[in-house]
Amino acid sequence: MAEKSVLKRASLDSEREYGAGPIKQERMDRRRLCPYLDTINRSVLDFDFEKLCSVSLSHINVYACLVCGKYFQGRGLKSHAYTHSVQDGHHVFLNLETHKFYCLPDNYEVIDSSLEDITYVLNPTFAAERISLLDNNPKLSRAYDGTTYLPGIVGLNNIKANDYCNVILQALSHVTPLRNYFAREENYKHIKRPPGDQMFILVQRFGELIRKLWNPHNFKAHVSPHEMLQAVVLCSKKKYQITSQGDPIEFLSWFLNSLHLALGGSKKLSSSVINQIFRGTMKMYSRKMLPVDMKDEDQEKLLLTEEYKESVQESQFLYLTCDLPPPPLYPDELRENIIPQVPLFTILAKFNGVSEKEYKTYKDSTMKRFEITKLPPYIILYVKRFTKNTFILEKNPTIVNFPIKSIDFGELLSPEVRAKHKHTMYDLVANIVHDGEAGSGKGTYRVHILHKGSGKWYDMQDLHVSDILPQMITLSESYIQIYEVQRERRSTSDTASEPNNVNTS
């Protein structure tokens, strides 16, 4: 036994002497000294598209070639990534799931701190402290190609006819509590869903898109919502398509409700982040109209029946639908059609609990009035511009005159309800506009966004981003607006009352 141990020691000593030990050390160091790192081309890297192998179209074990930007499956001897590395001489690959770098065909892992920027672009992460500072950052970021951009004010690619989705996604990315929630994956990744549930993909993809839009280290100054839109097509069962234009308000309603349910939401106002931000409550009073051709005596009898008494129904709302007055049919005295205008509070009067509106059906009509009982932190207004009759879809060109700051929605509330609300002043944060004629594919959608860090307004239509004067926003044909509640601000009297010097008396 002693002889065997002596022989083992001698063999180990001879291995060290003749270089077997250093060879093992070489293999370890090789991971950190890859000679092909200078072949990486960051200008062709684009991680916005679906993670599919470009040969087999499989989404399992996909690697990105960091030289040409294409996706390939596997890294074994007969895999597509291995074949690509041998045929084209491209050697550095990134596993899109594990975020590890490999050199092929030698098949060793590459560890280098210079590659961290690529990992961050693939999957941006935000610390809680950094998220709280997003709205206070007026600094421009520089993309890899040299273009400058503001994080959050980034164009979205229009793949074919998805401008109606882009404006909604841009507007929602500037709703601060919603953005803060989805900017950290830890907030929603532990939510339990039933097996086979596809709706949670929507939550994951929206979170990824939010993080990419606010990433200050992007390689390019625009983002493609390809994966997000594919999740929308899948989860909506092809109701909302990339290839045909839809209605933004229908998409917004479906999208927020789907996110609410996927996050485990219920009818309770505090059950999900969507309800906490956007959901308000109202009372709806309705009474059935009496037939006009009936005698007075019969009408009085009908009024006593239960059917014709006023009924009250409590309901929740996600957005408020505002009806525009009908446009003039004929030109005025000067033979010109002047574009009609209406103040915002005229169309909001529908929700003051006093104004009644007639709703007709084929057999009877009902008078309804609405009374808001709880204002949400963010109010979505939908201006009903399109009316569909038997033949065509018509657009109402009436311009709504609205202030951008300090709109008092408390004027719509009754004194008792208003007393329960601490804040009733709201500021505009997003304004979605429809330009052109009515009908799918005939008009276009764009959005005005307020960047809180710089205090400037931006006009965004797909990839086109330009700053805009606040005065120009009110001249547009607004379709959907998002208002944010003003939190308590310190007045000058409060700051003056604070002691500046210590009283020594």
Side-chain angles (χ1 to χ4, degrees), residues 423-438:
H423 312 289
T424 58
M425 303 292 278
Y426 284 75
D427 294 335
L428 184 71
V429 290
N431 179 47
I432 294 170
V433 178
H434 180 266
D435 297 319
E437 298 176 20

Side-chain angles (χ1 to χ4, degrees), residues 288-295 298-299 302 308 363-364:
K288 208 171 177 183
M289 292 282 286
L290 293 163
V292 182
D293 53 351
M294 194 177 281
K295 292 179 183 178
D298 296 332
Q299 283 185 352
L302 277 175
Y308 285 89
K363 59 177 183 179
D364 54 24

Side-chain angles (χ1 to χ4, degrees), residues 135-196:
D135 283 336
N136 303 323
N137 180 26
K139 292 180 182 176
L140 288 165
S141 294
R142 189 176 294 277
Y144 184 76
D145 58 0
T147 55
T148 55
Y149 68 96
L150 268 172
I153 307 294
V154 178
L156 282 176
N157 191 17
N158 189 349
I159 296 161
K160 188 175 181 183
N162 55 280
D163 58 339
Y164 74 102
C165 293
N166 287 354
V167 290
I168 295 297
L169 296 172
Q170 289 279 20
L172 292 178
S173 72
H174 285 264
V175 174
T176 305
L178 191 72
R179 179 205 63 201
N180 293 353
Y181 180 84
F182 282 97
R184 279 182 69 82
E185 197 178 358
E186 293 82 2
N187 291 332
Y188 56 83
K189 72 176 182 181
H190 299 299
I191 293 172
K192 291 180 181 177
R193 298 297 299 162

Side-chain angles (χ1 to χ4, degrees), residues 25-41:
Q25 190 66 36
E26 252 178 54
R27 284 177 187 164
M28 292 297 289
D29 290 340
R30 196 179 179 187
R31 301 193 309 171
R32 300 182 185 275
L33 300 170
C34 180
Y36 302 110
L37 292 185
D38 59 340
T39 62
I40 294 171
N41 185 3

Side-chain angles (χ1 to χ4, degrees), residues 252 319 344 347 379-383 400-403 407 409 428-432 473-474 476 478-483:
L252 174 67
Y319 59 86
L344 178 68
I347 60 174
I379 296 175
I380 302 174
L381 290 188
Y382 158 50
V383 181
V400 181
N401 294 322
F402 55 90
I407 302 161
F409 279 88
L428 184 71
V429 290
N431 179 47
I432 294 170
I473 295 168
T474 56
S476 57
S478 299
Y479 190 53
I480 301 168
Q481 296 181 324
I482 301 179
Y483 289 92

Side-chain angles (χ1 to χ4, degrees), residues 112-150:
D112 198 290
S113 59
S114 67
L115 303 174
E116 287 175 4
D117 61 330
I118 298 174
T119 315
Y120 192 83
V121 169
L122 173 62
N123 184 31
T125 53
F126 291 88
E129 302 82 33
R130 201 159 143 213
I131 291 171
S132 62
L133 298 172
L134 285 176
D135 283 336
N136 303 323
N137 180 26
K139 292 180 182 176
L140 288 165
S141 294
R142 189 176 294 277
Y144 184 76
D145 58 0
T147 55
T148 55
Y149 68 96
L150 268 172

Side-chain angles (χ1 to χ4, degrees), residues 168-238:
I168 295 297
L169 296 172
Q170 289 279 20
L172 292 178
S173 72
H174 285 264
V175 174
T176 305
L178 191 72
R179 179 205 63 201
N180 293 353
Y181 180 84
F182 282 97
R184 279 182 69 82
E185 197 178 358
E186 293 82 2
N187 291 332
Y188 56 83
K189 72 176 182 181
H190 299 299
I191 293 172
K192 291 180 181 177
R193 298 297 299 162
D197 178 42
Q198 290 183 327
M199 296 305 284
F200 199 69
I201 299 171
L202 211 60
V203 175
Q204 292 171 327
R205 294 288 179 262
F206 185 58
E208 288 169 12
L209 183 68
I210 290 288
R211 291 192 288 276
K212 284 177 181 177
L213 285 171
W214 286 91
N215 182 9
H217 307 297
N218 273 329
F219 286 164
K220 55 192 186 313
H222 65 272
V223 173
S224 179
H226 191 266
E227 283 191 291
M228 174 77 240
L229 295 173
Q230 284 204 315
V232 166
V233 173
L234 176 71
C235 295
S236 68
K237 296 177 181 175
K238 299 186 179 179

